[in-house]
């Protein structure tokens, strides 16, 4: 599965728990939002994470 920033932003926008987790990552590791989004993707989506199906279900243009 490939990382798409637009899909990840949409997933976070639709999920309060991910919004909180994103803010925690940004604060705890002093990351910019784009880097924190990618870290969140790898921890919660990529390797069979809790939000993998929700991420796949998003039908956003790829590219």
């Amino acid at each position: 599965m490939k990382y798409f920033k637009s899909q990840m932003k949409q997933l976070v926008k639709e999920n309060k728990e991910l919004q909180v987790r994103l803010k925690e990552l940004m604060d705890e590791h002093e990351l910019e939002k784009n880097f924190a989004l990618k870290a969140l993707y790898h921890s919660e989506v990529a390797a069979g994470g809790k939000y993998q199906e929700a991420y796949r279900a998003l039908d956003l243009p790829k590219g």
Side-chain angles (χ1 to χ4, degrees):
M1 186 167 29
K2 188 167 179 177
Y3 171 78
F4 293 100
K5 184 169 76 171
S6 58
Q7 271 183 267
M8 197 59 201
K9 286 173 83 172
Q10 184 66 32
L11 183 64
V12 170
K13 182 179 178 182
E14 295 174 359
N15 189 292
K16 192 70 168 171
E17 186 178 326
L18 286 177
Q19 291 172 20
V20 170
R21 183 75 180 110
L22 178 66
K23 181 156 178 37
E24 288 173 352
L25 279 173
M26 290 172 67
D27 293 343
E28 183 178 335
H29 299 286
E30 297 180 5
L31 294 172
E32 293 178 18
K33 186 174 183 177
N34 289 334
F35 293 117
L37 271 173
K38 198 162 195 175
L40 193 61
Y41 167 80
H42 285 290
S43 67
E44 302 292 341
V45 176
K50 181 177 177 181
Y51 297 97
Q52 189 176 62
E53 289 305 313
Y55 182 82
R56 284 186 179 171
L58 291 173
D59 190 26
L60 297 175
K62 312 283 190 274

